[in-house]
Amino acid sequence: MRKRNTLLAMVVLSLFAMVSFTVAEYSTYPPKKNVPIFTKVIYEGNDQVYNDYPLEEGEFYNPILQGCYPDPSITRKGDDYYMVCSSFAMFPGVPIFHSKDLVNWTDLGGVLDDITEFNPHDTGISQGVYAPGITYNPHNDTFYMIVTAFSGGLGNIIVKTKDPMKGWGSPKKLDFGGIDPSIFFDDDGKAYVVHNDAPDKGKELYNGHRVIKIWEYDIEKDQVIAGTDEIIVDGGVDITEKPIWIEAPHIYKKDGSYYLMCAEGGTGDWHSEVIFKSDSPKGPYIPAPSNPILTQRYFPKDRENMVDWAGHADLVKGPDDQYYGVFLAIRPNEENRVNTGRETFILPVDWSGEYPVFENGLVPIEPKLKMPKGVTNKTGQDGFIPNGNFTFEEDFSSDKLDYRWIGLRGTREAFIKQTKKGLEITPFSTNIKERKPTSTLFHRQQHKTFSFTTTLEYEPKSEKDMAGVTAYQNENSNYVFGITKKGKQNYLVLQKNSKPNWRGETVSKIIATEPIDLDGPIDLNISAEGDKYQFSYAVNGSDFKTVGGTVSGDILSTDVAGGFTGALLGLYATSGNDIILED
């Protein structure tokens, strides 16, 4: 079993070979004199919906995971619930959370936390790993996490553990294609894997036509059994209506019958959840007459506090013996843009009849829910993840860096060092626009209205040096706000990087520059009210000055930039700055 807290030297040495950086780039430890030091970060979220709907006794907020935590999957052992989400090229891969009650959650880090085994070093941000499934097998007291990895030639992989609190075993490559796998353990101990795949060659009837396949699984060998694969759903609920992107399958057993639940309609505004039933795990599966059982696609786009794109769900029995479903959905801003990304929501599920139905999942989803009986809301307290509007302060003085801080395409420990002065970031020679690991420590944007402020001590030595902050959707869509040098003068620069031109080159534009004297620390701030973003600074700790005015958050939205992630806010440093300032 791997240990989560691998020694820093081991992590760095493993990254040498995997990321193909030169030894010279890593020889920056101990840091150079001009290494940037970030001494404080304050993230404040202030969405109006939480001001308009204060919690009353016995209530909690939905979503339960704010920001880019899509594709949730959940399992239970006794009183312990474990939930995983997609992470794409963020590192560590596959964030995992623990709860005793489905309301109060703790962050356990990432399942795939060994860079020598999962290394998304050269992938786009929306590649890496996504759509994980987590399942507890009571027959051997083992947890399984199965996922598709779009990096390093891994494909579909599975990892196991007896205790998710203590880390996971090494990935095992599985011999099948497709995406969105999940594993099901029957009462007799037999195991099955289901996943999305393309139709058999020559049988694709329309764009978005997909199938659900099932395999028998050998628990001893941890491998699907060759030749056992069958198609159990072709197209979706009704192939005559040309349903698109049947995916994210999960099998459940209840009262002797087997239920197959899938997402259908794509991950956008036609997203939904549908259910099928069978007398056998391998089918045939008959769709419920009441499908879909969860969707937000039928409602006006100008509805208040809109939640949309709901789907990609998983079911679990709660502490009150009631079923619940976790699923992804979005909360778009006033321009109907998706900057916080796909988030994890939860709803109670009524399974008193033949088929499960998400309670209030076929009407506009509300921002609050009643808690399971006997549960106390402790979100934001005692180490539990905060929910609603909250303030998070980080001075980097604790021995263990909060799991909310993540790397991109590589481990954060490769470039950070916690010191008495603050967090040192040793700059890589890569810059934010490259599809490589960058020396950037990221925090998810979790609110539509927020403020992200950091205090920086830094003195660039040349025009190749830059440090500051970034608002980042992907390598081609981001803002950079930082300090660099031209001649003997230091400058604050705000740059916008947007979609590539016809030559495939990222279109970069300097929005504003400002000469600045660095006699001490400087505060840098990113703030937003919906689609309107501002970048500002203060040299006296209080009087902030905006640079570049108000800019659009369009390039930070999923629907404009493309891909599957939400916006990230980063502490950024590079020795490969390519922003050219005019004389």
Side-chain angles (χ1 to χ4, degrees), residues 235-260:
V237 169
D238 184 353
I239 197 170
T240 65
E241 296 185 359
K242 297 183 178 181
I244 60 171
W245 299 109
I246 190 78
E247 57 192 5
H250 294 281
I251 292 178
Y252 312 96
K253 191 174 186 180
K254 183 175 182 290
D255 299 332
S257 295
Y258 298 86
Y259 293 84
L260 173 69

Side-chain angles (χ1 to χ4, degrees), residues 346-481:
I346 191 169
L347 282 176
V349 172
D350 183 353
W351 207 339
S352 58
E354 184 176 4
Y355 296 98
V357 177
F358 285 75
E359 294 184 14
N360 296 320
L362 297 173
V363 298
I365 292 173
E366 298 290 334
K368 298 192 299 182
L369 285 174
K370 292 291 184 182
M371 289 188 292
K373 187 177 180 180
V375 176
T376 300
N377 191 336
K378 296 182 180 180
T379 54
Q381 309 170 44
D382 303 329
F384 292 113
I385 295 170
N387 203 223
N389 285 335
F390 58 82
T391 297
F392 168 70
E393 297 190 26
E394 175 70 86
D395 63 7
F396 303 109
S397 62
S398 63
D399 294 335
K400 185 178 180 181
L401 187 61
D402 196 291
Y403 284 133
R404 73 179 61 217
W405 294 108
I406 54 174
L408 180 61
R409 304 187 192 91
T411 173
R412 62 190 189 180
E413 286 78 14
F415 56 85
I416 65 170
K417 182 180 180 182
Q418 291 175 256
T419 71
K420 292 181 179 180
K421 290 185 177 181
L423 183 83
E424 295 179 348
I425 294 185
T426 297
F428 289 164
S429 62
T430 51
N431 66 58
I432 205 72
K433 294 181 290 186
E434 296 185 69
R435 192 176 286 196
K436 298 177 181 178
T438 63
S439 39
T440 314
L441 190 65
F442 283 107
H443 181 292
R444 291 168 175 85
Q445 179 182 330
Q446 298 179 290
H447 298 79
K448 289 181 277 188
T449 299
F450 74 90
S451 172
F452 179 85
T453 307
T454 187
T455 302
L456 171 64
E457 295 182 19
Y458 181 57
E459 177 68 46
K461 296 302 181 183
S462 76
E463 61 186 22
K464 287 293 185 181
D465 295 327
M466 171 175 271
V469 292
T470 179
Y472 185 95
Q473 171 60 229
N474 61 45
E475 52 273 11
N476 298 317
S477 300
N478 54 76
Y479 288 99
V480 173
F481 184 51

